[in-house]
Amino acid sequence: MNSFRIAFKLMRNNSNIYGLYFLVLVVTVATYYNFAAIQYNDKFVELTERVQSAVVASFASGFVLICTVVFFMWHANSFFIKQRQKEIGLYMLMGISNARIGRVLALEGLFIGGLAFTVGLIIGILFSKLFFMLLSKAMFLDVVLPFNISIEAIIQLILVFGVIFILLGIKNYSAIKKKQLIDMLHATIEKPAKPKYSLPKGILSIFLIVAGYFIALNIKPWQLDLLLAAVAIVFLVSLGTYLFFGSSLTVILSNLIKTKRFIYKDVRLISISSIFFRLKENYRSLAMTAILAAATVTAFSVSISFNQFANSHEVIETPYSFSVESESPDTNELVREAVESSEHSLKGVHDLHFFIGKVHYDDSRNEVDKNNEAIITSYSQMEKTLEYLQYKGRDNLLDQIKPSQNEATFILNPNTIASPMNILGDKMKINKTDFQIAEFTQVPFIGNNSKYGRMNVYVLQDQDYERHVQDFEELTLTGVDITNQENSSELISNIKQIIPNGEQMLYENPKQYIWEYYALGTLFFLGLIISIVFMLATFSTIYFKFLSDAFSDKEQYAMLKKVGMSRKEVQRSVNLTVGIAFLIPIIIGIVHSVVAMKVLEQIMSVKFTFPLLLGVGWFVFVMTFFYKGIIRSYTNMVYKD
């Protein structure tokens, strides 16, 4: 029987241990195909700047996905070889050469990978239409995307996964070729070595994580470069997490084992010793589990945050159906008559009073306000505007933004989605008078119209405003709200013709989001998809790690069973063993994700408490069920009646 037939037969006979591995590969291939297909979809290419967000996000998501799945496959293959060491030893005992065994197992891995690739590709193609429909909806694109099989995406898929499967096959072949018969036959009774630990490394791990957190929480106050800060944070926290499980956790468990009052109670000695003596071979998996947990919660929470932000920010973008800059008292009356004579009804009219002032900061910064020009308005005007718009939480917000004498509240312009700049407490001049920035926020006022949409707004105390407006021309912009705004193009055209300088004085607010919102929609949808893949990868990493431990613990628990340890006691021991090794990386991952969300809050100047709670709650809920399943599988493997 040749190697190909043996490999195929082994794959079929071992299908029960490949279940979760096969599922993750299928989902990954199907997802990656759709990520790649975005870059080659002709209809998306026609959308020019709108597609750029989708292309960049899909490429980044695909790259992260491949990095995650490579680690998962590498880890899973190590587990498969470890679980089948006795089987491999028997093949050696029968006289089969290491080279041929390695070749057969490498082919078996290629077969399972090829089958998963084929099934995943078929599923990806079949669901690509649904994928693009959901993506278009998330991006607010009013287009019909035809069903299309992307040959370019398939070729990219074959190249990427072909390389991965071949490298894994070479790895399996090399690993088996180096094995010795005696090692294979005694694999399950091999005692793990006591882990070495370094107190300086343990202290360094805590320092690195704290340093990463400290930078993350001070991006805005320190006005750090966002890209460089993000890279530094990821590097420090990831390295700190790796060292924590390699050193700090070893120090902690070592001290617990030495604490007799604690360790000699119930089954603690068995459980904690099992974790401690396996840290040398498990700390990488635990660190990766923590990082995957952080990525899962962060990806899901960020996705929900972007969706929440896009929906809540709509009123900031378009607070009115359209707005008119009044040059004469008759203008508003002409607008009212035009609306009443149309199929639309007038819902409300709101006048905005402000002036365009010159703003200069003491440190000569020019990036805050373009051409040092900004909209200056009064607190009472802002109060009336938020009341008119019935803005959610306006009472608390008005208390927050109320300036004192010689203070100004900075309102970020509606054209900007996110800004890491920090100007709280900064001193600046309006019309050569000193003011201090007392608050920084983003609320609806003028909207994103063509003339004033890119200008920031400074809110002054009423007395300060009245004193300074005398040196400038006060402008009046009238916000008009009508029914059936979506079909108002004919009315807008009529009004432009009947009011003086209509083309220049009427500002039609954008009916759809500006281009950044298409990016938010893309990130919302792709973030949800990638969070599911991260979740599967987290499951799989934990699952194979604990099954590998259970496989090694069989002999230990068999001995304990012989000396009278009951199944109930084994259950308690397994609960503690799995609980400690399960909860520590999960808790650390959740803490990492909380800090990551705080970075997003700084950049976007919005509180994302609900998305974070939803992300953490969803992750904990799913992990609770997974934990119970792991406990059951672990117990069944180490204790059989």
Side-chain angles (χ1 to χ4, degrees), residues 152-407:
E152 296 91 343
I154 294 175
I155 293 173
Q156 183 176 326
L157 207 65
I158 292 172
L159 291 174
V160 171
F161 282 91
V163 170
I164 294 173
F165 293 147
I166 290 171
L167 289 177
L168 282 174
I170 294 172
K171 173 183 177 290
N172 291 342
Y173 176 80
S174 301
I176 299 301
K177 196 172 180 181
K178 296 176 183 178
K179 294 292 183 180
Q180 299 294 323
L181 175 60
I182 191 67
D183 296 331
M184 296 291 98
L185 295 178
H186 294 281
T188 57
I189 60 175
E190 182 182 352
K191 294 182 179 179
K194 182 179 179 180
K196 296 179 181 180
Y197 59 86
S198 168
L199 187 59
K201 282 187 179 179
I203 296 173
L204 177 63
S205 70
I206 303 298
F207 173 78
L208 290 174
I209 293 174
V210 171
Y213 286 178
F214 200 62
I215 294 172
L217 298 175
N218 288 281
I219 286 179
K220 198 165 185 174
W222 293 350
Q223 301 185 55
L224 300 175
D225 180 271
L226 187 57
L227 181 60
L228 293 177
V231 172
I233 293 165
V234 171
F235 175 77
L236 290 172
V237 172
S238 298
L239 181 59
T241 303
Y242 179 84
L243 292 176
F244 174 82
F245 285 99
S247 295
S248 296
L249 187 57
T250 308
V251 173
I252 294 169
L253 294 179
S254 176
N255 286 312
L256 283 178
I257 290 175
K258 294 176 183 177
T259 308
K260 295 181 180 180
R261 289 185 179 181
F262 173 82
I263 202 67
Y264 291 118
K265 286 185 179 180
D266 200 25
V267 293
R268 293 177 184 175
L269 179 61
I270 299 171
S271 301
I272 295 177
S273 296
S274 177
I275 298 170
F276 175 71
F277 282 98
R278 288 212 173 86
L279 269 181
K280 186 176 181 180
E281 59 184 47
N282 283 344
Y283 75 92
R284 295 181 184 86
S285 297
L286 293 172
M288 189 62 188
T289 301
I291 293 170
L292 281 173
T296 304
V297 176
T298 303
F300 185 84
S301 301
V302 168
S303 299
I304 300 301
S305 298
F306 283 157
N307 189 55
Q308 171 193 304
F309 183 82
N311 291 330
S312 64
H313 206 264
E314 183 178 6
V315 68
I316 294 175
E317 280 284 312
T318 57
Y320 320 104
S321 301
F322 61 89
S323 52
V324 179
E325 191 168 355
S326 305
E327 285 189 333
S328 67
D330 298 331
T331 300
N332 286 351
E333 187 60 34
L334 292 172
V335 172
R336 187 183 298 273
E337 291 175 359
V339 173
E340 291 175 350
S341 63
S342 70
E343 59 181 12
H344 304 273
S345 298
L346 192 65
K347 292 169 60 178
V349 175
H350 177 64
D351 289 333
L352 301 162
H353 302 286
F354 58 93
F355 66 88
I356 305 300
K358 284 290 184 178
V359 177
H360 297 275
Y361 282 80
D362 287 357
D363 58 3
S364 301
R365 280 186 293 185
N366 296 317
E367 71 275 11
V368 177
D369 299 289
K370 187 177 180 180
N371 299 324
N372 296 113
E373 289 186 335
I375 295 169
I376 314 297
T377 191
S378 65
Y379 174 76
S380 61
Q381 176 65 73
M382 184 61 69
E383 186 177 31
K384 292 175 185 176
T385 301
L386 296 182
E387 287 291 340
Y388 170 79
L389 296 172
Q390 293 294 293
Y391 193 62
K392 186 178 179 180
R394 58 188 175 278
D395 292 335
N396 291 334
L397 181 61
L398 286 168
D399 290 338
Q400 175 187 338
I401 67 174
K402 187 174 183 179
S404 300
Q405 188 174 8
N406 294 326
E407 286 186 345

Side-chain angles (χ1 to χ4, degrees), residues 343-550:
E343 59 181 12
H344 304 273
S345 298
L346 192 65
K347 292 169 60 178
V349 175
H350 177 64
D351 289 333
L352 301 162
H353 302 286
F354 58 93
F355 66 88
I356 305 300
K358 284 290 184 178
V359 177
H360 297 275
Y361 282 80
D362 287 357
D363 58 3
S364 301
R365 280 186 293 185
N366 296 317
E367 71 275 11
V368 177
D369 299 289
K370 187 177 180 180
N371 299 324
N372 296 113
E373 289 186 335
I375 295 169
I376 314 297
T377 191
S378 65
Y379 174 76
S380 61
Q381 176 65 73
M382 184 61 69
E383 186 177 31
K384 292 175 185 176
T385 301
L386 296 182
E387 287 291 340
Y388 170 79
L389 296 172
Q390 293 294 293
Y391 193 62
K392 186 178 179 180
R394 58 188 175 278
D395 292 335
N396 291 334
L397 181 61
L398 286 168
D399 290 338
Q400 175 187 338
I401 67 174
K402 187 174 183 179
S404 300
Q405 188 174 8
N406 294 326
E407 286 186 345
T409 295
F410 180 88
I411 309 295
L412 187 65
N413 70 79
N415 192 261
T416 303
I417 284 183
S419 173
M421 68 179 178
N422 178 45
I423 57 174
L424 279 177
D426 282 9
K427 293 184 178 180
M428 35 79 75
K429 290 182 172 61
I430 299 176
N431 194 26
K432 299 181 180 180
T433 301
D434 290 331
F435 286 90
Q436 187 174 27
I437 303 299
E439 189 57 60
F440 182 113
T441 188
Q442 193 172 36
V443 295
F445 187 59
I446 285 180
N448 189 26
N449 64 52
S450 57
K451 186 173 182 180
Y452 301 112
R454 295 181 180 275
M455 289 186 178
N456 299 315
V457 180
Y458 290 84
V459 181
L460 306 182
Q461 191 185 65
D462 289 358
Q463 293 88 333
D464 287 335
Y465 177 81
E466 294 299 332
R467 186 167 65 252
H468 286 86
V469 73
Q470 299 174 10
D471 300 325
F472 295 87
E473 177 188 1
E474 185 174 49
L475 304 174
T476 300
L477 188 73
T478 302
V480 181
D481 286 306
I482 59 173
T483 58
N484 194 19
Q485 177 184 342
E486 294 77 12
N487 302 310
S488 60
S489 56
E490 183 178 349
L491 172 63
I492 296 294
S493 299
N494 292 337
I495 295 175
K496 285 181 178 180
Q497 294 175 8
I498 63 175
I499 64 174
N501 299 320
E503 290 292 338
Q504 290 78 36
M505 306 306 288
L506 188 145
Y507 308 110
E508 184 179 3
N509 285 324
K511 293 189 174 90
Q512 291 183 321
Y513 295 110
I514 53 176
W515 77 267
E516 288 92 344
Y517 284 85
Y518 294 92
L520 289 180
T522 306
L523 294 173
F524 163 63
F525 178 71
L526 296 184
L528 289 181
I529 299 295
I530 205 71
S531 69
I532 294 172
V533 177
F534 279 149
M535 177 69 85
L536 279 174
T538 307
F539 283 173
S540 306
T541 302
I542 296 174
Y543 179 78
F544 288 126
K545 178 227 173 292
F546 283 117
L547 255 61
S548 178
D549 289 350

Side-chain angles (χ1 to χ4, degrees), residues 81 85 97 158 181 274 279 428 440 568 576 593 612 621 638:
I81 291 177
Q85 285 184 108
S97 67
I158 292 172
L181 175 60
S274 177
L279 269 181
M428 35 79 75
F440 182 113
K568 188 175 182 180
L576 185 58
S593 66
L612 177 59
F621 176 78
V638 300

Side-chain angles (χ1 to χ4, degrees), residues 124-144:
I125 291 173
L126 291 177
F127 284 89
S128 60
K129 174 70 174 178
L130 176 62
F131 180 89
F132 277 99
M133 285 174 59
L134 294 174
L135 178 59
S136 299
K137 185 175 179 62
M139 292 178 67
F140 312 101
L141 300 180
D142 188 19
V143 293
V144 178

